[in-house]
Amino acid sequence: MNTVHRRSRRTAAGILAAALLALPASSARAQSSREEISREVHKALPLKAGQRLEVEHASGDVRIRGQAGSEVRVDARIRVSASDMDEAKKFADGILIEIEPSATGVVVRTRYPEERRSLFASSRQVSYSVNYDIAVPEVAAVSVRNRFGDVWTEGLKGGADLHNSNGKLVFRGGRGTARLENAFGPLELSGNAGDADVTNANGSLTIADVEGNLTARNRFGRVSIAKAKKVTFSGSNADVAVASSGPSSVTTSFGAVEVSDVSGDLMVQNANGAVRARSVTGEAELNGSFGPIDFVDIGKGVRCTGTNAKVTGRKVGGPATVQNTFGPVELSEIAGAVEVQNQNGVVRLRDIRGPANVRNRFGAVEVSGIAGDATISNGNAAVGVANVEGAVDVRSSFGAVSVTVAKKGVKVNSGNGGVSVSDAGGPTFVKTSFGLVEATRIAGDLTVENTNGAVQASDVRGSANVRTSFSPVVLAGVSGAIEVDNQNGSVELREVAVGAKACSRISVRSSFAPVRVSLPENRGYTITARTSFGRINTELPMSVTSTGTDSLRGKIGDGACPVEITNSNGNVDLLKQAHR
């Protein structure tokens, strides 16, 4: 059935004449009258089970609703406007609406007059559109090809294949496989009980409630995805948000990525944009550049790679591996092993329930609360380690090193920086140069190799072996054997053999500085002291076997423990140690 409507929009002749005299020619044409004509087409055809509806259209909207029944009902409205009624009618009559049965179902086509292209460029300024409102059996498959208009569908339960451009595409309440493609306009998918394959360009993409697997693509438009069984997205030049979905993969560039509430694993690959992940039950692989990377509450572990990025993460239920450059790395509350490789940025680790391995350059390293061993290699920056359940191994250059509370052994190899170690629960080894070494409360043996730096140690429950030069050595409260080799620096020993059941050997060598050794009177020592260009002074009661201004040999008590002191160009003072 066809219905025709005509409408005239002429202005009054006198007013129009006055306007034409007052306006330029181009403005006069813009104010000229328009004639509009509309025509409606209505048709219904049966559609058998297993058949499909196909729509081929351009220059207008297509609305399709799924409903109960077994026929296709098509309502089409044609609208044409032109500079005069004859032109409008001629063009409207030339528009053909084809609603025909086919071997596969029903086909709806729109055919425009061949001369429409020339009409666009002519002074007649013909404009036109055809809008469809179609009802289709809800279980039927639907295919649409449209341009320069919107496509809107609802309740299609037999699967859909929709292609549109230069307009909006909306798909709601579907079932089966949905294939949706749009360009130069937004695309919205809301509800599909099946898989969905969605592609958009130059427009926003909004997807929600996909009960099957979702594959989506977009460029130059913001992306929002919520509630899909599985998500695979690729795109560029837009922000991407994924929420409340199953295992998800996001690959994009030049836009931020934000993912939350993922049931399963997550993979994000982003370039030139931020990455943010929240509440992922599985593992997360996060890769980004030129934007911060942040993750919280990851169930089974994280692998992260960043370039020119700040990496922050906490609450990870498994191991965490981070590789980054030109930005800081900050991790906390990690339930497994942590491995970090960074350059040109600070590394901070806190509350790690496994071992920690850090390699860094040109940035400080701060590590605390490590349940396992801590292994750190750093260049050109400071290192701070605290509260480690296992052993500590630090390699550093051109930066201070501080280790506090390590329940097992400590090993520090440093260059050109001070080293401080306190509360070490096992053997401690320190090697450095041009920096002060401080060691306090060492439960095992202490070994220090220093150059051009002082050494201060106290409360060492094992032996102490110290080598340095051009700086003083001060040891207090060493329970075991003591060996000090210093060049051009003083040596002072206090509170020797405190708490030890038996005394131990003491050996001191130095030059160009005094040596002061305090010994307890209630222990047995055999003392041999030599110097040059200095004096030997003693306040200890001993039986002397040989003496002189620059040498001394004597015995205290039973003489069980040897004490050997060799100095040059400095005094040697043997002092009484208070009884403890």
Side-chain angles (χ1 to χ4, degrees), residues 37-86:
I37 187 170
S38 64
R39 178 163 61 90
E40 295 180 359
V41 176
H42 309 280
K43 189 172 182 179
L45 288 175
L47 191 67
K48 298 178 182 179
Q51 291 188 319
R52 60 190 292 118
L53 168 68
E54 298 180 29
V55 179
E56 297 180 8
H57 183 50
S59 301
D61 300 340
V62 177
R63 299 175 64 88
I64 303 176
R65 299 185 306 276
Q67 61 184 31
S70 59
E71 68 175 10
V72 175
R73 295 198 306 274
V74 180
D75 297 317
R77 185 175 184 184
I78 302 168
R79 299 183 66 180
V80 178
S81 67
S83 57
D84 62 72
M85 180 57 70
D86 290 340

Side-chain angles (χ1 to χ4, degrees), residues 231-240 242 248-259 266-277 284-293 303-307 323:
V231 176
T232 302
F233 174 81
S234 60
S236 63
N237 298 282
D239 295 343
V240 179
V242 178
S248 299
S249 173
V250 178
T251 302
T252 189
S253 60
F254 295 99
V257 175
E258 184 167 352
V259 183
L266 169 66
M267 193 285 289
V268 176
Q269 179 76 48
N270 192 18
N272 302 283
V275 175
R276 187 177 185 184
E285 180 179 343
L286 309 175
N287 305 307
S289 61
F290 297 98
I293 301 173
R303 297 187 304 276
C304 179
T305 302
T307 304
Q323 184 173 346

Side-chain angles (χ1 to χ4, degrees), residues 332-552:
S332 63
E333 301 177 68
I334 310 300
V338 171
E339 184 166 351
V340 176
Q341 182 173 340
N342 195 34
Q343 294 186 33
N344 302 283
V346 174
V347 176
R348 294 186 178 93
L349 306 182
R350 179 173 54 85
D351 191 11
I352 310 301
R353 302 183 195 104
N357 188 341
V358 178
R359 297 183 297 279
N360 194 36
R361 294 181 59 195
F362 299 102
V365 175
E366 301 174 12
V367 174
S368 65
I370 310 300
D373 296 341
T375 304
I376 300 168
S377 176
N378 196 25
N380 303 287
V383 175
V385 182
N387 301 316
V388 177
E389 296 287 336
V392 175
D393 188 342
V394 177
R395 295 180 179 272
S396 180
S397 60
F398 296 99
V401 176
S402 173
V403 179
T404 304
V405 187
K407 292 190 177 181
K408 294 185 179 179
V410 175
K411 184 177 182 181
V412 177
N413 282 274
S414 179
N416 301 285
V419 177
S420 173
V421 179
S422 62
D423 298 290
T428 298
F429 172 85
V430 177
K431 182 177 182 179
T432 189
S433 60
F434 296 98
L436 169 65
V437 174
E438 295 179 285
T440 306
R441 295 181 296 278
I442 308 301
D445 296 339
L446 172 66
T447 302
V448 178
E449 297 180 6
N450 197 6
T451 305
N452 299 286
V455 177
Q456 298 176 2
S458 62
D459 193 7
V460 179
R461 298 173 195 171
S463 62
N465 188 324
V466 177
R467 286 174 171 78
T468 191
S469 60
F470 296 98
S471 293
V473 174
V474 179
L475 304 182
V478 178
S479 299
I482 298 174
E483 183 173 352
V484 178
D485 190 343
N486 194 6
Q487 295 182 24
N488 301 284
S490 64
V491 177
E492 182 175 359
L493 307 183
R494 300 195 306 264
E495 301 179 20
V496 173
V498 172
K501 295 181 179 180
C503 61
S504 300
R505 180 176 181 272
I506 297 174
S507 174
V508 177
R509 293 181 294 275
S510 188
S511 60
F512 294 97
V515 174
R516 297 168 61 87
V517 178
S518 299
L519 298 174
E521 296 180 75
N522 60 345
R523 298 295 180 106
Y525 292 98
T526 296
I527 300 174
T528 302
R530 293 182 295 273
T531 188
S532 60
F533 299 100
R535 295 181 60 85
I536 297 177
N537 304 306
T538 180
E539 59 182 31
L540 294 168
M542 68 177 71
S543 58
V544 177
T545 57
S546 64
T547 184
T549 58
D550 58 358
S551 65
L552 173 68

Side-chain angles (χ1 to χ4, degrees), residues 196-199 205 207 210 212-218 223 225 228-235 240 242 245-251 265-267:
D197 190 312
V198 181
T199 302
L205 177 60
I207 300 173
V210 177
N213 298 332
L214 170 65
T215 301
R217 309 163 197 85
N218 196 40
V223 177
I225 299 172
K229 181 180 179 181
K230 182 179 180 181
V231 176
T232 302
F233 174 81
S234 60
V240 179
V242 178
S245 297
S248 299
S249 173
V250 178
T251 302
D265 295 341
L266 169 66
M267 193 285 289

